[in-house]
Structure formats: structure tokens, C-alpha cells
Amino acid sequence: MNAGERLAPEQHDTLPEIAEPAENPLLIGHRNEASGIASAYRTGRLHHAILLHGPRGIGKATFAFAVARHLLAHPDAASASESLVAPDPQSVLFRQVATGAHPGVLHLTRPLDRDGKKFKTAITVDEVRRVAKLLSMTSHDGSYRVVVVDPADDMNINAANALLKNLEEPPSRTLFILISHAPGGLLPTIRSRCQAIRLQPLAPDDVLAVLAALGEPVPEDEAARGEIVRHAEGSPRSALLMTRYGGLDLSQALDAVLSAPRFDVAAAYKLAEAVSGRDADIQFGFLNETILERIAARAGEAAMAGELRHAQALSGLWQETRETMRETGVYNLDRKQHVVGLIGRLREGLV
């Protein structure tokens, strides 16, 4: 999709010339989960709130909008198709959902600030209050109303408490879809009111299929393609950042610093300089996300191995790291010091 064809509003993590989830008609991977939701809808077993969780960039938001379109396209559940069928991008329904104009779909994500120049660092309570307006309207054909919170991790505490009230007394024929990269950070009371569905990282062939669908050139050399797929770890977004924004070099440099016998401060500063330029916002965000994913992955490994104290410590490191990232954005702190500090804490946490 070219930039001139964009339908969906820009978001805080928009990549130039790449379709937003709301305007992406392709759902690659997650076949079993898609079939499960379609079946639950047909048989009247669809939960009122779904928590879609899994690593960043694997298509959770794209999945959420595919579900929303499915419900709206089939208001009579009993006659709905047995799978999430690829939509017609030229249909009125598709374009309304993509542009944010459909009266039955509300997409809650980080809003712009008062000046309309920068995105806020959190989903605010004012955003969540928009849910009440949506729920006050009745669909003319009795179809569902769908609220997509993308990601729920970005809600501040006031927003989370406001959403909880809606989840506690859900109206009929309303579906809340909460997207989360790290559900452990959500309020336990929110998690308990949702059906948790974990989406897995995509298989290597599916990652390459997404890149092909986007028209993204990949190396002809099999070893080079393998390096991209390995470092992407099942995330098409990461793979795209590898091929287009130098993410592979950044990921390899991070690996080298983390695996060195001693903390090479000079190498860490060199990596920090690569993502601290005026035009390096995407690269800076990529490195931050990669560090968070490394911490989350190690925490999961520790928990599976029964190292509960270490897993808890890593969970605390994840929260601390995320807050440091937020403060860097809010207060415009020095990016180089931020990155070097994060890498140092990551090395300590992985020991």
C-alpha cells in the first residue's frame, strides 16, 4: 500500500507506506484462533471480552479488526461463515472500518496531544469515556458493537479503571478486544474478565509471506533470509524493520554487546548513537521494543524452568524498562544515555 492510499488515521507506531491493521485485508497465520472465534460466534459462545496477547508485531491488531469486520458483516450469527473470510477492500464496510467511520467500531489507542503534533505516551481516561457514547447507540440491524483497545498495555491507571467498569457490566452484543504485548502488566481484575487468547509468533514461511504481500524485497541469498527470519522471531513487523530500517544490523549489534564477556561500554555507545539521530525515531523505537521482548522472553524461560524469583525480578525489570522508555519520551531525555542504561540493565537481568 502506498502512502497516498492510506485510509486509516496515523498512529504512534505507524510505518510509512505500510497499511495500518484497520485497513489491512490480509490475515496471515493464526488460523486455529481465527476458526475458534468464528465457531464461537456461530454457536452463541462468543465471550464479551477477548484478551489477544503475544509478542509485538505478530498481527494481533490485524486479527482484532478481522474479527470486528466478521461480526459486522454477519449480524445473524447462525448464518455466519465458519471462518474469517478475507474482505473486499472496496466494500463500504471495509472502508468504514478502515477510516474509523463505522458507527459500530471504536478503536482506542494513544491520542494526539492538544497541539496535534505528538502522540501521548498513554491511552487516557478521556479516550475510554468514548465507550459510553458507542454503547448508547443501537445498531439498526442488530449487529455487534466492537471496542478495540490497542494496546491495553498503554492505558494509564485511570483509563484502566474506567474500562474495568464497562467490562464488569457488559451490554449485550458488544465485544471488547484488548490487545496486549505483556498481559502480566494489566490489572488482574481486567484479565479475569477476559477470555485470554495467545497468538503465537508466525512460522518463517508466514513471515516471508507477509513481506511478499507488502511488496517488500527480501535477500535472494538463503542465508541472509534466514538471518532476517531468525532475528524477527516470528514478527512480520520486526522483519520489515530488518529489511527497511536497518533493524538487522541493530539486532546483531545488540546481540554482540549482550554476549560479550564484559560490558563493552564503547560498543553500547556506538549502538546508542545509531538510534539517537533526528531522523532515527523508527530505529530508536525498534531497539526499545527489541530490548523489551528480550526481557519478556527471558522471564518466560525462567518461569518455565521454575526459577520463579528470577522470573519475578525480570518482570520488575520489564516494568522499570517500560517506565524509563515512557519518561524518555515525555521529558525528551538524552537518548544515548537512555539506551546505554537499558543495555546495562538488560545484561544484569540476563545473568
Side-chain angles (χ1 to χ4, degrees), residues 159-233:
N161 284 324
L163 181 68
L164 179 59
K165 293 180 180 179
N166 291 299
L167 297 177
E168 289 174 336
E169 300 178 359
S172 62
R173 298 186 69 76
T174 300
L175 176 64
F176 292 87
I177 305 179
L178 280 63
I179 296 165
S180 176
H181 313 310
L186 299 177
L187 292 176
T189 45
I190 285 181
R191 296 200 307 269
S192 67
R193 285 163 174 78
C194 298
Q195 176 190 3
I197 299 177
R198 178 173 174 80
L199 298 187
Q200 300 295 332
L202 269 61
D205 286 347
D206 284 339
V207 171
L208 294 175
V210 173
L211 294 182
L214 294 172
E216 186 68 15
V218 296
E220 295 184 3
D221 179 69
E222 184 175 349
R225 288 200 307 274
E227 274 293 281
I228 291 173
V229 169
R230 182 175 71 84
H231 281 270
E233 298 180 334

Side-chain angles (χ1 to χ4, degrees), residues 15-350:
L15 295 178
E17 299 183 3
I18 300 301
E20 298 288 353
E23 61 186 352
N24 183 2
L26 300 175
L27 181 62
I28 296 177
H30 315 308
R31 298 166 185 83
N32 292 337
E33 293 81 5
S35 296
I37 285 185
S39 175
Y41 180 56
R42 275 176 60 90
T43 57
R45 296 180 291 107
L46 186 66
H47 201 281
H48 76 277
I50 294 172
L51 174 60
L52 290 179
H53 64 102
R56 190 185 301 268
I58 61 172
K60 298 188 296 295
T62 299
F63 188 99
F65 282 103
V67 172
R69 288 192 299 264
H70 181 77
L71 269 57
L72 295 170
H74 303 94
D76 178 17
S79 62
S81 60
E82 297 181 358
S83 60
L84 304 183
V85 179
D88 175 7
Q90 301 304 318
S91 69
V92 173
L93 171 61
F94 181 89
R95 297 182 71 84
Q96 283 185 324
V97 172
T99 59
H102 196 288
V105 179
L106 178 60
H107 184 200
L108 300 182
T109 188
R110 295 189 202 175
L112 288 165
D113 61 17
R114 291 182 179 179
D115 297 330
K117 295 180 180 179
K118 294 180 62 177
F119 286 92
K120 294 185 177 180
T121 59
I123 297 175
T124 62
V125 67
D126 288 337
E127 288 297 295
V128 176
R129 286 172 179 157
R130 296 168 57 199
V131 174
K133 181 177 180 180
L134 173 73
L135 300 183
S136 68
M137 298 184 292
T138 303
S139 172
H140 72 279
D141 59 0
S143 60
Y144 261 71
R145 293 161 297 183
V146 182
V147 179
V148 178
V149 187
D150 176 25
D153 312 310
D154 283 352
M155 290 188 295
N156 61 29
I157 188 61
N158 291 332
N161 284 324
L163 181 68
L164 179 59
K165 293 180 180 179
N166 291 299
L167 297 177
E168 289 174 336
E169 300 178 359
S172 62
R173 298 186 69 76
T174 300
L175 176 64
F176 292 87
I177 305 179
L178 280 63
I179 296 165
S180 176
H181 313 310
L186 299 177
L187 292 176
T189 45
I190 285 181
R191 296 200 307 269
S192 67
R193 285 163 174 78
C194 298
Q195 176 190 3
I197 299 177
R198 178 173 174 80
L199 298 187
Q200 300 295 332
L202 269 61
D205 286 347
D206 284 339
V207 171
L208 294 175
V210 173
L211 294 182
L214 294 172
E216 186 68 15
V218 296
E220 295 184 3
D221 179 69
E222 184 175 349
R225 288 200 307 274
E227 274 293 281
I228 291 173
V229 169
R230 182 175 71 84
H231 281 270
E233 298 180 334
S235 166
R237 178 183 175 87
S238 292
L240 185 65
L241 292 168
M242 301 280 177
T243 60
R244 186 176 290 200
Y245 296 100
L248 182 57
D249 291 338
L250 294 175
S251 187
Q252 291 173 332
L254 179 62
D255 282 347
V257 174
L258 294 178
S259 61
R262 296 181 179 180
F263 186 20
D264 188 340
V265 178
Y269 265 102
K270 184 177 180 180
L271 179 56
E273 289 176 353
V275 299
S276 298
R278 182 172 297 178
D279 299 322
D281 287 348
I282 291 176
Q283 289 83 353
F284 179 70
F286 170 78
L287 187 62
N288 277 286
E289 292 171 6
T290 299
I291 289 174
L292 279 179
E293 290 296 340
R294 298 287 173 88
I295 297 172
R298 184 64 188 93
E301 293 170 1
M304 290 293 291
E307 302 169 1
L308 300 184
R309 184 171 297 179
H310 192 195
Q312 187 175 13
L314 287 166
S315 179
L317 176 62
W318 190 95
Q319 294 287 356
E320 176 190 343
T321 300
R322 190 163 177 266
E323 180 61 20
T324 300
M325 294 174 180
R326 187 192 70 81
E327 291 177 350
T328 299
V330 171
Y331 302 112
N332 196 27
L333 302 180
D334 185 273
R335 286 186 173 185
K336 294 179 185 178
Q337 294 293 337
H338 163 80
V339 169
V340 173
L342 284 187
I343 294 174
R345 286 195 291 274
L346 182 56
R347 276 185 58 93
E348 294 172 2
L350 294 181

